[in-house]
Amino acid sequence: MFSRFSRRHFAKMAGLSTLGIAAATARTASKPKPVTDRHAPARFPDDFLWGTATSAYQIEGAVNEDGRGPSIWDRFSHTPGKIADHSTADRANDHYHRYKEDVGLIRDLGAKAYRFSIAWPRVFPEGTGAPNPRGLDFYDRLLDELLANGIEPFATLYHWDLPQSLQDRFGGWQSADTAKAFADYAGHVAGRLSDRIRNFFTINETGRFVYFGYGSGIDAPGLQLPQGALNQVHHNVALAHGLAVQTIRAKGRAGTRVGPAENIAACLPAIDTPDNIRAAEIATRELNAGFLNVILEGKYTEAFLAYAGKDAPKYTAEELKIIGSPIDFLGLNIYAPQSYVVASDRAPGFEVLPIPASFPHMSSEWLRIGPEAAYWVPRLAAKVWNVDTIYISENGTSSIDQLTPDGKVYDLDRIMYLRNYLAQLQRATAEGVPVRGYFLWSLMDNFEWIFGFEKRFGLYHVDFDTQVRTAKLSASFYRDVVARNAIGA
Ligand code: BG6
């Protein structure tokens, strides 16, 4: 029995008994108020929108049904050695056939919004040309089911499943032709579905798919382009966003709202001093210069262009105007702090500190635990770009979820993560930072890109053999937050 205790345990016990004595002494001196009177739940604004998120390739399956064309992720996941567990998303969650059950899962959480993505290769199997007549039928059915359950749809138009044909014909996002094709597709979808979709996200996480897909080659299409070509890819994606904003406005119903869903480079003050907070504002602008800043300001920053030098993207003034088309909201995917910064005398005024090897992370190694990102990132974004409507378009965590023999998943680490991030988000809303809603990634476990089915991010556990969905403990946690519109009790 004694061997189970370490020296650390003994030290702790000794400390506790010392505290016990101190507390007893204090009790005799004054009568503290009962603890329960001092606590109150931290409420979110009354109209705060609670939701969950998924994306088409990660859950739909049915990759060869109803005229869908191949995407770069079909090609990539079928290439040996690209996916950790050698899986593909050919079947994934079979959501294409089980969408009614899955909408029921959202309803059971009490969530009132759902962010999903539309698969471009279902709508235009070749990326351009004649639309597939059956392409939008699935989304028609899904939308009707969502609305019948009182759930507001938020549709993402591009969550990385580029039609393979565009990659083959134009080099994908290496060409402005792909940007034009995206705008046509966006306009077509808005024309058909904006009677039921009032909010469109254009593009999900340029910061991820450009660098990983065209830079390091880790993601589809697996290219390793030099910096200049990579900057041009980024520019073409920004152009696609701007063109799509315009076609959605032209073809969608009046009042249709549009914005990006970006994994903003999350810059945080290392220590909260006024100087460091100012430095974090500068860093937010500069470290997001290649996408968010150019779409929100309609120009590349001087520091970005100076740093890029001969590798700077080629563009026209007219393109910058398109890229800077006004948006209705800013979607921020916030998982982990990227850069902790301090003030610096050297231009442009900030220094990024090295992250220590011991910095804690969740089950995914990239997912550093920094709940204060949920406070600082929207606060700084609202200030730097003067935006009045922000959605947290993704936040959540992987966890090593295991079904116990009694059929439960006790994902206490996910609850810990969510509780802390949401507490920081509430702090932001309480201070007036204009965050209007939150989409938890993810509704259910799904195909996690290069990790295959090895990483689980869902509130619902999915058995990918039987397709049985099981609510994890975190689903109860989230249901409670949504029901009370508050964190804490
Ligand atoms: C976001 C993506 O980057 O993070 C999601 O928008 C993705 O599609 C999630 O599933 C987790 O990323 P990963 O790389 O761990 O699967």
Side-chain angles (χ1 to χ4, degrees), residues 42 44 48 50 371 374-375 392 395 415-429 438-440 477-478 481-482 486-488:
F44 285 83
F48 196 79
W50 293 102
Y375 169 77
I392 305 304
N395 171 247
I415 294 174
M416 174 280 292
Y417 175 98
L418 293 173
R419 181 189 292 120
N420 283 290
Y421 275 68
L422 287 174
Q424 292 287 334
L425 186 64
Q426 191 279 337
R427 177 182 162 214
T429 59
Y438 171 89
F439 296 88
L440 196 154
F477 166 81
Y478 193 51
V481 170
V482 172
I487 190 94

PDB file of all heavy atoms in Angstrom, residues 42 44 48 50 371 374-375 392 395 415-429 438-440 477-478 481-482 486-488:
ATOM      1  N   ALA A  42     -21.444  32.106 -15.509  1.00  0.00           N
ATOM      2  CA  ALA A  42     -20.984  33.144 -16.431  1.00  0.00           C
ATOM      3  C   ALA A  42     -21.805  33.028 -17.707  1.00  0.00           C
ATOM      4  O   ALA A  42     -21.653  32.072 -18.466  1.00  0.00           O
ATOM      5  CB  ALA A  42     -19.499  32.953 -16.716  1.00  0.00           C
ATOM      6  N   PHE A  44     -23.562  33.861 -21.416  1.00  0.00           N
ATOM      7  CA  PHE A  44     -23.303  34.387 -22.757  1.00  0.00           C
ATOM      8  C   PHE A  44     -24.447  35.332 -23.127  1.00  0.00           C
ATOM      9  O   PHE A  44     -25.521  35.281 -22.504  1.00  0.00           O
ATOM     10  CB  PHE A  44     -23.189  33.228 -23.752  1.00  0.00           C
ATOM     11  CG  PHE A  44     -21.877  32.483 -23.631  1.00  0.00           C
ATOM     12  CD1 PHE A  44     -21.700  31.496 -22.672  1.00  0.00           C
ATOM     13  CD2 PHE A  44     -20.814  32.800 -24.470  1.00  0.00           C
ATOM     14  CE1 PHE A  44     -20.489  30.834 -22.544  1.00  0.00           C
ATOM     15  CE2 PHE A  44     -19.602  32.134 -24.352  1.00  0.00           C
ATOM     16  CZ  PHE A  44     -19.434  31.153 -23.388  1.00  0.00           C
ATOM     17  N   PHE A  48     -26.892  34.490 -28.277  1.00  0.00           N
ATOM     18  CA  PHE A  48     -25.693  33.745 -28.680  1.00  0.00           C
ATOM     19  C   PHE A  48     -26.110  32.443 -29.368  1.00  0.00           C
ATOM     20  O   PHE A  48     -26.998  31.731 -28.897  1.00  0.00           O
ATOM     21  CB  PHE A  48     -24.831  33.438 -27.451  1.00  0.00           C
ATOM     22  CG  PHE A  48     -23.423  33.034 -27.792  1.00  0.00           C
ATOM     23  CD1 PHE A  48     -22.480  33.995 -28.134  1.00  0.00           C
ATOM     24  CD2 PHE A  48     -23.039  31.698 -27.780  1.00  0.00           C
ATOM     25  CE1 PHE A  48     -21.176  33.635 -28.445  1.00  0.00           C
ATOM     26  CE2 PHE A  48     -21.740  31.328 -28.094  1.00  0.00           C
ATOM     27  CZ  PHE A  48     -20.808  32.300 -28.425  1.00  0.00           C
ATOM     28  N   TRP A  50     -25.448  28.715 -30.554  1.00  0.00           N
ATOM     29  CA  TRP A  50     -24.632  27.534 -30.256  1.00  0.00           C
ATOM     30  C   TRP A  50     -24.760  26.524 -31.386  1.00  0.00           C
ATOM     31  O   TRP A  50     -25.870  26.190 -31.795  1.00  0.00           O
ATOM     32  CB  TRP A  50     -25.081  26.891 -28.937  1.00  0.00           C
ATOM     33  CG  TRP A  50     -24.813  27.754 -27.743  1.00  0.00           C
ATOM     34  CD1 TRP A  50     -25.709  28.519 -27.065  1.00  0.00           C
ATOM     35  CD2 TRP A  50     -23.547  27.941 -27.094  1.00  0.00           C
ATOM     36  NE1 TRP A  50     -25.084  29.179 -26.020  1.00  0.00           N
ATOM     37  CE2 TRP A  50     -23.754  28.836 -26.020  1.00  0.00           C
ATOM     38  CE3 TRP A  50     -22.254  27.451 -27.309  1.00  0.00           C
ATOM     39  CZ2 TRP A  50     -22.726  29.244 -25.157  1.00  0.00           C
ATOM     40  CZ3 TRP A  50     -21.225  27.854 -26.456  1.00  0.00           C
ATOM     41  CH2 TRP A  50     -21.474  28.736 -25.400  1.00  0.00           C
ATOM     42  N   PRO A 371      -6.219  28.147 -23.414  1.00  0.00           N
ATOM     43  CA  PRO A 371      -7.606  28.629 -23.398  1.00  0.00           C
ATOM     44  C   PRO A 371      -7.725  30.126 -23.619  1.00  0.00           C
ATOM     45  O   PRO A 371      -8.702  30.602 -24.200  1.00  0.00           O
ATOM     46  CB  PRO A 371      -8.103  28.261 -21.994  1.00  0.00           C
ATOM     47  CG  PRO A 371      -7.135  27.286 -21.450  1.00  0.00           C
ATOM     48  CD  PRO A 371      -5.842  27.477 -22.176  1.00  0.00           C
ATOM     49  N   ALA A 374      -9.045  31.865 -26.757  1.00  0.00           N
ATOM     50  CA  ALA A 374     -10.475  32.110 -27.025  1.00  0.00           C
ATOM     51  C   ALA A 374     -10.899  33.499 -26.551  1.00  0.00           C
ATOM     52  O   ALA A 374     -11.964  33.984 -26.920  1.00  0.00           O
ATOM     53  CB  ALA A 374     -11.330  31.035 -26.364  1.00  0.00           C
ATOM     54  N   TYR A 375     -10.082  34.117 -25.733  1.00  0.00           N
ATOM     55  CA  TYR A 375     -10.327  35.501 -25.306  1.00  0.00           C
ATOM     56  C   TYR A 375      -9.578  36.490 -26.208  1.00  0.00           C
ATOM     57  O   TYR A 375     -10.161  37.383 -26.804  1.00  0.00           O
ATOM     58  CB  TYR A 375      -9.892  35.680 -23.847  1.00  0.00           C
ATOM     59  CG  TYR A 375      -9.867  37.126 -23.400  1.00  0.00           C
ATOM     60  CD1 TYR A 375     -11.047  37.784 -23.093  1.00  0.00           C
ATOM     61  CD2 TYR A 375      -8.661  37.820 -23.317  1.00  0.00           C
ATOM     62  CE1 TYR A 375     -11.029  39.122 -22.711  1.00  0.00           C
ATOM     63  CE2 TYR A 375      -8.635  39.146 -22.933  1.00  0.00           C
ATOM     64  CZ  TYR A 375      -9.820  39.794 -22.632  1.00  0.00           C
ATOM     65  OH  TYR A 375      -9.807  41.123 -22.260  1.00  0.00           O
ATOM     66  N   ILE A 392     -17.056  31.937 -33.869  1.00  0.00           N
ATOM     67  CA  ILE A 392     -15.995  30.948 -33.706  1.00  0.00           C
ATOM     68  C   ILE A 392     -16.447  29.772 -34.574  1.00  0.00           C
ATOM     69  O   ILE A 392     -17.344  29.004 -34.198  1.00  0.00           O
ATOM     70  CB  ILE A 392     -15.833  30.523 -32.223  1.00  0.00           C
ATOM     71  CG1 ILE A 392     -15.609  31.758 -31.331  1.00  0.00           C
ATOM     72  CG2 ILE A 392     -14.680  29.513 -32.087  1.00  0.00           C
ATOM     73  CD1 ILE A 392     -14.453  32.651 -31.706  1.00  0.00           C
ATOM     74  N   ASN A 395     -13.904  25.127 -32.908  1.00  0.00           N
ATOM     75  CA  ASN A 395     -13.077  24.963 -31.702  1.00  0.00           C
ATOM     76  C   ASN A 395     -13.426  23.589 -31.152  1.00  0.00           C
ATOM     77  O   ASN A 395     -14.566  23.166 -31.211  1.00  0.00           O
ATOM     78  CB  ASN A 395     -13.385  26.037 -30.646  1.00  0.00           C
ATOM     79  CG  ASN A 395     -12.714  25.767 -29.305  1.00  0.00           C
ATOM     80  OD1 ASN A 395     -13.361  25.486 -28.306  1.00  0.00           O
ATOM     81  ND2 ASN A 395     -11.405  25.811 -29.280  1.00  0.00           N
ATOM     82  N   ILE A 415     -13.755  17.651 -21.932  1.00  0.00           N
ATOM     83  CA  ILE A 415     -14.563  18.552 -21.098  1.00  0.00           C
ATOM     84  C   ILE A 415     -13.667  19.616 -20.458  1.00  0.00           C
ATOM     85  O   ILE A 415     -14.008  20.805 -20.425  1.00  0.00           O
ATOM     86  CB  ILE A 415     -15.339  17.757 -20.034  1.00  0.00           C
ATOM     87  CG1 ILE A 415     -16.378  16.861 -20.717  1.00  0.00           C
ATOM     88  CG2 ILE A 415     -16.017  18.690 -19.031  1.00  0.00           C
ATOM     89  CD1 ILE A 415     -17.116  15.921 -19.796  1.00  0.00           C
ATOM     90  N   MET A 416     -12.513  19.190 -19.983  1.00  0.00           N
ATOM     91  CA  MET A 416     -11.559  20.153 -19.402  1.00  0.00           C
ATOM     92  C   MET A 416     -11.200  21.238 -20.426  1.00  0.00           C
ATOM     93  O   MET A 416     -11.229  22.428 -20.143  1.00  0.00           O
ATOM     94  CB  MET A 416     -10.294  19.400 -18.952  1.00  0.00           C
ATOM     95  CG  MET A 416      -9.155  20.247 -18.449  1.00  0.00           C
ATOM     96  SD  MET A 416      -8.135  21.010 -19.730  1.00  0.00           S
ATOM     97  CE  MET A 416      -7.312  19.594 -20.460  1.00  0.00           C
ATOM     98  N   TYR A 417     -10.897  20.784 -21.638  1.00  0.00           N
ATOM     99  CA  TYR A 417     -10.502  21.719 -22.708  1.00  0.00           C
ATOM    100  C   TYR A 417     -11.646  22.685 -23.010  1.00  0.00           C
ATOM    101  O   TYR A 417     -11.471  23.911 -23.022  1.00  0.00           O
ATOM    102  CB  TYR A 417     -10.123  20.905 -23.948  1.00  0.00           C
ATOM    103  CG  TYR A 417      -9.806  21.714 -25.186  1.00  0.00           C
ATOM    104  CD1 TYR A 417      -8.493  22.008 -25.539  1.00  0.00           C
ATOM    105  CD2 TYR A 417     -10.824  22.162 -26.030  1.00  0.00           C
ATOM    106  CE1 TYR A 417      -8.204  22.744 -26.678  1.00  0.00           C
ATOM    107  CE2 TYR A 417     -10.550  22.897 -27.171  1.00  0.00           C
ATOM    108  CZ  TYR A 417      -9.237  23.181 -27.493  1.00  0.00           C
ATOM    109  OH  TYR A 417      -8.962  23.906 -28.628  1.00  0.00           O
ATOM    110  N   LEU A 418     -12.837  22.141 -23.225  1.00  0.00           N
ATOM    111  CA  LEU A 418     -13.973  22.990 -23.610  1.00  0.00           C
ATOM    112  C   LEU A 418     -14.334  23.959 -22.495  1.00  0.00           C
ATOM    113  O   LEU A 418     -14.615  25.144 -22.735  1.00  0.00           O
ATOM    114  CB  LEU A 418     -15.188  22.125 -23.967  1.00  0.00           C
ATOM    115  CG  LEU A 418     -15.044  21.273 -25.236  1.00  0.00           C
ATOM    116  CD1 LEU A 418     -16.239  20.328 -25.380  1.00  0.00           C
ATOM    117  CD2 LEU A 418     -14.912  22.155 -26.479  1.00  0.00           C
ATOM    118  N   ARG A 419     -14.338  23.453 -21.274  1.00  0.00           N
ATOM    119  CA  ARG A 419     -14.709  24.311 -20.138  1.00  0.00           C
ATOM    120  C   ARG A 419     -13.790  25.533 -20.076  1.00  0.00           C
ATOM    121  O   ARG A 419     -14.236  26.667 -19.899  1.00  0.00           O
ATOM    122  CB  ARG A 419     -14.604  23.510 -18.839  1.00  0.00           C
ATOM    123  CG  ARG A 419     -14.987  24.306 -17.607  1.00  0.00           C
ATOM    124  CD  ARG A 419     -14.658  23.557 -16.327  1.00  0.00           C
ATOM    125  NE  ARG A 419     -15.487  22.391 -16.133  1.00  0.00           N
ATOM    126  CZ  ARG A 419     -15.033  21.141 -16.031  1.00  0.00           C
ATOM    127  NH1 ARG A 419     -13.742  20.877 -16.127  1.00  0.00           N
ATOM    128  NH2 ARG A 419     -15.855  20.136 -15.831  1.00  0.00           N
ATOM    129  N   ASN A 420     -12.509  25.288 -20.241  1.00  0.00           N
ATOM    130  CA  ASN A 420     -11.550  26.390 -20.123  1.00  0.00           C
ATOM    131  C   ASN A 420     -11.620  27.358 -21.300  1.00  0.00           C
ATOM    132  O   ASN A 420     -11.548  28.577 -21.120  1.00  0.00           O
ATOM    133  CB  ASN A 420     -10.136  25.831 -19.952  1.00  0.00           C
ATOM    134  CG  ASN A 420      -9.933  25.335 -18.536  1.00  0.00           C
ATOM    135  OD1 ASN A 420      -9.863  26.127 -17.606  1.00  0.00           O
ATOM    136  ND2 ASN A 420      -9.896  24.028 -18.343  1.00  0.00           N
ATOM    137  N   TYR A 421     -11.758  26.826 -22.516  1.00  0.00           N
ATOM    138  CA  TYR A 421     -11.867  27.709 -23.676  1.00  0.00           C
ATOM    139  C   TYR A 421     -13.162  28.513 -23.616  1.00  0.00           C
ATOM    140  O   TYR A 421     -13.185  29.712 -23.911  1.00  0.00           O
ATOM    141  CB  TYR A 421     -11.772  26.908 -24.981  1.00  0.00           C
ATOM    142  CG  TYR A 421     -10.345  26.663 -25.443  1.00  0.00           C
ATOM    143  CD1 TYR A 421      -9.499  25.832 -24.712  1.00  0.00           C
ATOM    144  CD2 TYR A 421      -9.833  27.265 -26.585  1.00  0.00           C
ATOM    145  CE1 TYR A 421      -8.188  25.607 -25.119  1.00  0.00           C
ATOM    146  CE2 TYR A 421      -8.525  27.049 -27.006  1.00  0.00           C
ATOM    147  CZ  TYR A 421      -7.706  26.206 -26.265  1.00  0.00           C
ATOM    148  OH  TYR A 421      -6.410  25.993 -26.670  1.00  0.00           O
ATOM    149  N   LEU A 422     -14.256  27.850 -23.230  1.00  0.00           N
ATOM    150  CA  LEU A 422     -15.541  28.562 -23.198  1.00  0.00           C
ATOM    151  C   LEU A 422     -15.561  29.625 -22.102  1.00  0.00           C
ATOM    152  O   LEU A 422     -16.189  30.679 -22.258  1.00  0.00           O
ATOM    153  CB  LEU A 422     -16.697  27.566 -23.041  1.00  0.00           C
ATOM    154  CG  LEU A 422     -16.987  26.746 -24.310  1.00  0.00           C
ATOM    155  CD1 LEU A 422     -18.033  25.672 -24.043  1.00  0.00           C
ATOM    156  CD2 LEU A 422     -17.454  27.657 -25.448  1.00  0.00           C
ATOM    157  N   ALA A 423     -14.887  29.352 -21.002  1.00  0.00           N
ATOM    158  CA  ALA A 423     -14.817  30.364 -19.941  1.00  0.00           C
ATOM    159  C   ALA A 423     -14.121  31.623 -20.472  1.00  0.00           C
ATOM    160  O   ALA A 423     -14.529  32.757 -20.186  1.00  0.00           O
ATOM    161  CB  ALA A 423     -14.081  29.814 -18.728  1.00  0.00           C
ATOM    162  N   GLN A 424     -13.076  31.424 -21.263  1.00  0.00           N
ATOM    163  CA  GLN A 424     -12.359  32.573 -21.836  1.00  0.00           C
ATOM    164  C   GLN A 424     -13.190  33.271 -22.905  1.00  0.00           C
ATOM    165  O   GLN A 424     -13.138  34.496 -23.046  1.00  0.00           O
ATOM    166  CB  GLN A 424     -11.022  32.113 -22.418  1.00  0.00           C
ATOM    167  CG  GLN A 424     -10.027  31.662 -21.370  1.00  0.00           C
ATOM    168  CD  GLN A 424      -9.435  32.814 -20.579  1.00  0.00           C
ATOM    169  OE1 GLN A 424      -9.371  33.947 -21.063  1.00  0.00           O
ATOM    170  NE2 GLN A 424      -9.019  32.560 -19.359  1.00  0.00           N
ATOM    171  N   LEU A 425     -13.963  32.484 -23.637  1.00  0.00           N
ATOM    172  CA  LEU A 425     -14.822  33.091 -24.660  1.00  0.00           C
ATOM    173  C   LEU A 425     -15.911  33.924 -23.995  1.00  0.00           C
ATOM    174  O   LEU A 425     -16.247  35.026 -24.444  1.00  0.00           O
ATOM    175  CB  LEU A 425     -15.440  31.988 -25.530  1.00  0.00           C
ATOM    176  CG  LEU A 425     -16.249  32.472 -26.726  1.00  0.00           C
ATOM    177  CD1 LEU A 425     -15.348  33.228 -27.717  1.00  0.00           C
ATOM    178  CD2 LEU A 425     -16.910  31.297 -27.441  1.00  0.00           C
ATOM    179  N   GLN A 426     -16.448  33.401 -22.907  1.00  0.00           N
ATOM    180  CA  GLN A 426     -17.476  34.144 -22.168  1.00  0.00           C
ATOM    181  C   GLN A 426     -16.900  35.457 -21.655  1.00  0.00           C
ATOM    182  O   GLN A 426     -17.546  36.498 -21.714  1.00  0.00           O
ATOM    183  CB  GLN A 426     -18.008  33.286 -21.004  1.00  0.00           C
ATOM    184  CG  GLN A 426     -19.246  33.853 -20.347  1.00  0.00           C
ATOM    185  CD  GLN A 426     -18.919  34.954 -19.335  1.00  0.00           C
ATOM    186  OE1 GLN A 426     -17.810  35.023 -18.803  1.00  0.00           O
ATOM    187  NE2 GLN A 426     -19.900  35.810 -19.069  1.00  0.00           N
ATOM    188  N   ARG A 427     -15.667  35.397 -21.181  1.00  0.00           N
ATOM    189  CA  ARG A 427     -15.000  36.616 -20.694  1.00  0.00           C
ATOM    190  C   ARG A 427     -14.959  37.654 -21.821  1.00  0.00           C
ATOM    191  O   ARG A 427     -15.215  38.835 -21.589  1.00  0.00           O
ATOM    192  CB  ARG A 427     -13.589  36.231 -20.248  1.00  0.00           C
ATOM    193  CG  ARG A 427     -12.724  37.351 -19.787  1.00  0.00           C
ATOM    194  CD  ARG A 427     -11.332  36.831 -19.419  1.00  0.00           C
ATOM    195  NE  ARG A 427     -10.350  37.882 -19.366  1.00  0.00           N
ATOM    196  CZ  ARG A 427      -9.074  37.755 -19.710  1.00  0.00           C
ATOM    197  NH1 ARG A 427      -8.608  36.576 -20.105  1.00  0.00           N
ATOM    198  NH2 ARG A 427      -8.247  38.759 -19.619  1.00  0.00           N
ATOM    199  N   ALA A 428     -14.679  37.181 -23.042  1.00  0.00           N
ATOM    200  CA  ALA A 428     -14.631  38.121 -24.177  1.00  0.00           C
ATOM    201  C   ALA A 428     -16.009  38.720 -24.429  1.00  0.00           C
ATOM    202  O   ALA A 428     -16.145  39.947 -24.568  1.00  0.00           O
ATOM    203  CB  ALA A 428     -14.121  37.403 -25.427  1.00  0.00           C
ATOM    204  N   THR A 429     -17.048  37.883 -24.474  1.00  0.00           N
ATOM    205  CA  THR A 429     -18.385  38.419 -24.776  1.00  0.00           C
ATOM    206  C   THR A 429     -18.831  39.365 -23.660  1.00  0.00           C
ATOM    207  O   THR A 429     -19.478  40.373 -23.924  1.00  0.00           O
ATOM    208  CB  THR A 429     -19.435  37.308 -24.983  1.00  0.00           C
ATOM    209  OG1 THR A 429     -19.516  36.504 -23.798  1.00  0.00           O
ATOM    210  CG2 THR A 429     -19.107  36.434 -26.169  1.00  0.00           C
ATOM    211  N   TYR A 438     -20.863  30.094 -31.853  1.00  0.00           N
ATOM    212  CA  TYR A 438     -19.760  29.160 -31.617  1.00  0.00           C
ATOM    213  C   TYR A 438     -20.121  27.807 -32.238  1.00  0.00           C
ATOM    214  O   TYR A 438     -21.215  27.285 -31.986  1.00  0.00           O
ATOM    215  CB  TYR A 438     -19.586  29.026 -30.103  1.00  0.00           C
ATOM    216  CG  TYR A 438     -18.639  27.954 -29.628  1.00  0.00           C
ATOM    217  CD1 TYR A 438     -17.284  28.224 -29.462  1.00  0.00           C
ATOM    218  CD2 TYR A 438     -19.090  26.672 -29.311  1.00  0.00           C
ATOM    219  CE1 TYR A 438     -16.405  27.250 -29.002  1.00  0.00           C
ATOM    220  CE2 TYR A 438     -18.222  25.695 -28.846  1.00  0.00           C
ATOM    221  CZ  TYR A 438     -16.881  25.986 -28.695  1.00  0.00           C
ATOM    222  OH  TYR A 438     -16.021  25.034 -28.240  1.00  0.00           O
ATOM    223  N   PHE A 439     -19.228  27.275 -33.059  1.00  0.00           N
ATOM    224  CA  PHE A 439     -19.449  25.973 -33.693  1.00  0.00           C
ATOM    225  C   PHE A 439     -18.397  24.991 -33.185  1.00  0.00           C
ATOM    226  O   PHE A 439     -17.212  25.148 -33.484  1.00  0.00           O
ATOM    227  CB  PHE A 439     -19.353  26.099 -35.217  1.00  0.00           C
ATOM    228  CG  PHE A 439     -20.430  26.970 -35.811  1.00  0.00           C
ATOM    229  CD1 PHE A 439     -20.242  28.348 -35.928  1.00  0.00           C
ATOM    230  CD2 PHE A 439     -21.635  26.425 -36.223  1.00  0.00           C
ATOM    231  CE1 PHE A 439     -21.232  29.158 -36.461  1.00  0.00           C
ATOM    232  CE2 PHE A 439     -22.635  27.228 -36.758  1.00  0.00           C
ATOM    233  CZ  PHE A 439     -22.432  28.593 -36.877  1.00  0.00           C
ATOM    234  N   LEU A 440     -18.844  24.026 -32.427  1.00  0.00           N
ATOM    235  CA  LEU A 440     -17.902  23.078 -31.832  1.00  0.00           C
ATOM    236  C   LEU A 440     -17.485  22.049 -32.877  1.00  0.00           C
ATOM    237  O   LEU A 440     -18.339  21.427 -33.538  1.00  0.00           O
ATOM    238  CB  LEU A 440     -18.582  22.387 -30.643  1.00  0.00           C
ATOM    239  CG  LEU A 440     -17.671  21.668 -29.669  1.00  0.00           C
ATOM    240  CD1 LEU A 440     -18.327  21.598 -28.288  1.00  0.00           C
ATOM    241  CD2 LEU A 440     -17.271  20.285 -30.104  1.00  0.00           C
ATOM    242  N   PHE A 477     -22.017  17.567 -21.328  1.00  0.00           N
ATOM    243  CA  PHE A 477     -21.441  18.855 -20.904  1.00  0.00           C
ATOM    244  C   PHE A 477     -21.933  19.972 -21.818  1.00  0.00           C
ATOM    245  O   PHE A 477     -22.414  21.015 -21.368  1.00  0.00           O
ATOM    246  CB  PHE A 477     -19.905  18.774 -20.927  1.00  0.00           C
ATOM    247  CG  PHE A 477     -19.234  20.114 -20.837  1.00  0.00           C
ATOM    248  CD1 PHE A 477     -19.068  20.740 -19.613  1.00  0.00           C
ATOM    249  CD2 PHE A 477     -18.784  20.767 -21.981  1.00  0.00           C
ATOM    250  CE1 PHE A 477     -18.470  21.997 -19.528  1.00  0.00           C
ATOM    251  CE2 PHE A 477     -18.178  22.008 -21.909  1.00  0.00           C
ATOM    252  CZ  PHE A 477     -18.023  22.631 -20.673  1.00  0.00           C
ATOM    253  N   TYR A 478     -21.828  19.738 -23.135  1.00  0.00           N
ATOM    254  CA  TYR A 478     -22.187  20.792 -24.090  1.00  0.00           C
ATOM    255  C   TYR A 478     -23.688  21.074 -24.044  1.00  0.00           C
ATOM    256  O   TYR A 478     -24.109  22.222 -24.104  1.00  0.00           O
ATOM    257  CB  TYR A 478     -21.747  20.381 -25.504  1.00  0.00           C
ATOM    258  CG  TYR A 478     -21.782  21.522 -26.504  1.00  0.00           C
ATOM    259  CD1 TYR A 478     -21.172  22.738 -26.227  1.00  0.00           C
ATOM    260  CD2 TYR A 478     -22.429  21.379 -27.731  1.00  0.00           C
ATOM    261  CE1 TYR A 478     -21.201  23.786 -27.142  1.00  0.00           C
ATOM    262  CE2 TYR A 478     -22.460  22.422 -28.655  1.00  0.00           C
ATOM    263  CZ  TYR A 478     -21.842  23.618 -28.354  1.00  0.00           C
ATOM    264  OH  TYR A 478     -21.865  24.661 -29.253  1.00  0.00           O
ATOM    265  N   VAL A 481     -24.285  23.425 -21.251  1.00  0.00           N
ATOM    266  CA  VAL A 481     -23.853  24.802 -21.557  1.00  0.00           C
ATOM    267  C   VAL A 481     -24.883  25.470 -22.455  1.00  0.00           C
ATOM    268  O   VAL A 481     -25.299  26.619 -22.220  1.00  0.00           O
ATOM    269  CB  VAL A 481     -22.470  24.788 -22.270  1.00  0.00           C
ATOM    270  CG1 VAL A 481     -22.124  26.183 -22.800  1.00  0.00           C
ATOM    271  CG2 VAL A 481     -21.380  24.306 -21.326  1.00  0.00           C
ATOM    272  N   VAL A 482     -25.325  24.747 -23.488  1.00  0.00           N
ATOM    273  CA  VAL A 482     -26.287  25.317 -24.440  1.00  0.00           C
ATOM    274  C   VAL A 482     -27.602  25.633 -23.726  1.00  0.00           C
ATOM    275  O   VAL A 482     -28.170  26.719 -23.896  1.00  0.00           O
ATOM    276  CB  VAL A 482     -26.526  24.325 -25.610  1.00  0.00           C
ATOM    277  CG1 VAL A 482     -27.661  24.810 -26.506  1.00  0.00           C
ATOM    278  CG2 VAL A 482     -25.249  24.142 -26.419  1.00  0.00           C
ATOM    279  N   ALA A 486     -24.628  29.359 -20.527  1.00  0.00           N
ATOM    280  CA  ALA A 486     -23.672  29.820 -19.508  1.00  0.00           C
ATOM    281  C   ALA A 486     -22.644  28.732 -19.243  1.00  0.00           C
ATOM    282  O   ALA A 486     -22.862  27.557 -19.541  1.00  0.00           O
ATOM    283  CB  ALA A 486     -24.437  30.130 -18.205  1.00  0.00           C
ATOM    284  N   ILE A 487     -21.546  29.168 -18.679  1.00  0.00           N
ATOM    285  CA  ILE A 487     -20.508  28.228 -18.270  1.00  0.00           C
ATOM    286  C   ILE A 487     -20.359  28.386 -16.741  1.00  0.00           C
ATOM    287  O   ILE A 487     -20.413  29.491 -16.228  1.00  0.00           O
ATOM    288  CB  ILE A 487     -19.181  28.507 -19.027  1.00  0.00           C
ATOM    289  CG1 ILE A 487     -18.173  27.404 -18.799  1.00  0.00           C
ATOM    290  CG2 ILE A 487     -18.585  29.852 -18.736  1.00  0.00           C
ATOM    291  CD1 ILE A 487     -18.196  26.361 -19.847  1.00  0.00           C
ATOM    292  N   GLY A 488     -20.217  27.280 -16.055  1.00  0.00           N
ATOM    293  CA  GLY A 488     -20.129  27.343 -14.589  1.00  0.00           C
ATOM    294  C   GLY A 488     -21.519  27.325 -13.978  1.00  0.00           C
ATOM    295  O   GLY A 488     -22.524  27.484 -14.681  1.00  0.00           O
TER     296      GLY A 488
END
